[in-house]
Structures are given as C-alpha cells and as structure tokens.
C-alpha cells in the first residue's frame, strides 16, 4: 500500500493524521452519494425522462455510497489497528518509531495474512527511537 510509505518517510503521526483526513473525505463522499441516491428515488417515480434520469441517479448514488462506505471503513480500520499498536512495548512511547521493514506478505514470523484475517496483510517491523526496542505492528 503506497500510503504506508508515508510512515517511513514522514513518520507515523503524519500518516495517521493524513489517513483520518482521507477517511473522512470518503465519509463525505458517502453522504453526497446518499443525497444523489435519494434524489434518484424521488425522480424514479416520475414519468419519461424523469424516470430514466431518476434510475440513472439512483444507480450512480448507490455505487458511490457503497464504494465510499467500503473505503471509509477499510481506511478507518487500518488506522485504528495500526494506531493501537504504535506504542513501544519497552518504554510506552507513542508513535516514536522508525520502520525497519514492512510489507503485505509474507510476514517475518511466517504468518499467513489470509488465515489471520488481516486486511491486506499489512505489517511493519518497528524500532523505537527512544529505547531501541523492536516490535511487530500488524
Ligand atoms: Zn521504546
């Protein structure tokens, strides 16, 4: 995932903040799609061009709401999951780590992301900048 490179280059806090901004932009997109969908529902009851236009709006609104909601949930889930693990186990410093290695797969401990149900198999090997402790974020 390209956006994970931001953790390496700009730090976890910047990535986390950016992730939440993008995620809520998808929530706004979901809301706008919902307005389009409801407009389509109102027009679909009409006749002639209104009926066809309403069906088109309804379909487009449905696609936008479904896709936006999925993106919102996925991005929020990843941000929450990584955020919960961004605490150094040694000194309890939050988000003060550098990324030693990362990837979608395979995980260094041999784990299988499909079996372990991890979204996209994202993992990071983090090293604390304060105490030097290392841990896995997955
Ligand atoms: Zn530490």
């Amino acid at each position: 995932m390209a956006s994970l490179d931001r953790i390496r280059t700009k730090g976890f806090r910047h990535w986390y903040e950016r992730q939440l901004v993008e995620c809520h932009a998808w929530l706004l997109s979901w809301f706008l799609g919902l307005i389009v969908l409801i407009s389509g529902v109102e027009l679909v009851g009409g006749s002639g061009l209104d009926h066809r236009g309403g069906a088109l709006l309804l379909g487009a609104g449905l696609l936008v709401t479904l896709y936006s909601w999925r993106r919102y949930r996925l991005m929020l889930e990843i941000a929450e999951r990584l955020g919960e693990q961004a605490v150094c186990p040694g000194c309890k410093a939050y988000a003060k780590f550098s990324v030693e290695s990362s990837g979608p797969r395979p995980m260094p401990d041999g784990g299988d992301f499909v079996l372990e149900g991890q979204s996209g198999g994202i993992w990071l090997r983090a090293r604390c900048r304060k105490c030097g402790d290392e841990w896995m974020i997955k």
Side-chain angles (χ1 to χ4, degrees):
M1 182 176 278
S3 67
L4 285 177
D5 285 340
R6 272 190 229 138
I7 296 175
R8 191 186 310 269
T9 57
K10 300 207 173 190
F12 183 79
R13 283 180 193 266
H14 179 84
W15 172 85
Y16 189 76
E17 178 185 299
R18 186 78 192 157
Q19 186 84 351
L20 291 182
V21 167
E22 282 183 36
C23 154
H24 285 88
W26 281 110
L27 185 62
L28 179 65
S29 170
W30 171 83
F31 185 70
L32 295 175
L34 189 63
I35 291 172
V36 169
L37 188 142
I38 291 170
S39 301
V41 168
E42 282 192 24
L43 286 176
V44 102
S47 61
L49 284 177
D50 278 354
H51 178 76
R52 273 183 261 148
L56 194 64
L57 281 178
L58 193 131
L62 188 63
L63 285 176
V64 169
T65 52
L66 290 176
Y67 185 76
S68 298
W69 184 254
R70 191 172 164 199
R71 290 290 302 171
Y72 168 72
R73 288 295 309 148
L74 179 68
M75 291 182 82
L76 188 62
E77 179 192 316
I78 291 170
E80 284 177 348
R81 197 178 69 225
L82 297 189
E84 287 169 359
Q85 300 174 65
V87 179
C88 172
C91 69
K92 306 294 181 211
Y94 179 75
K96 296 201 181 305
F97 62 87
S98 59
V99 178
E100 296 296 303
S101 58
S102 64
R105 73 161 107 172
M107 291 164 50
D109 61 2
D112 183 346
F113 74 88
V114 174
L115 293 176
E116 295 177 20
Q118 298 175 21
S119 316
I122 296 166
W123 59 267
L124 306 167
R125 179 136 199 92
R127 176 188 290 265
C128 180
R129 278 186 263 152
K130 284 180 76 179
C131 72
D133 204 359
E134 286 192 13
W135 74 100
M136 286 296 296
I137 298 175
K138 49 189 179 178

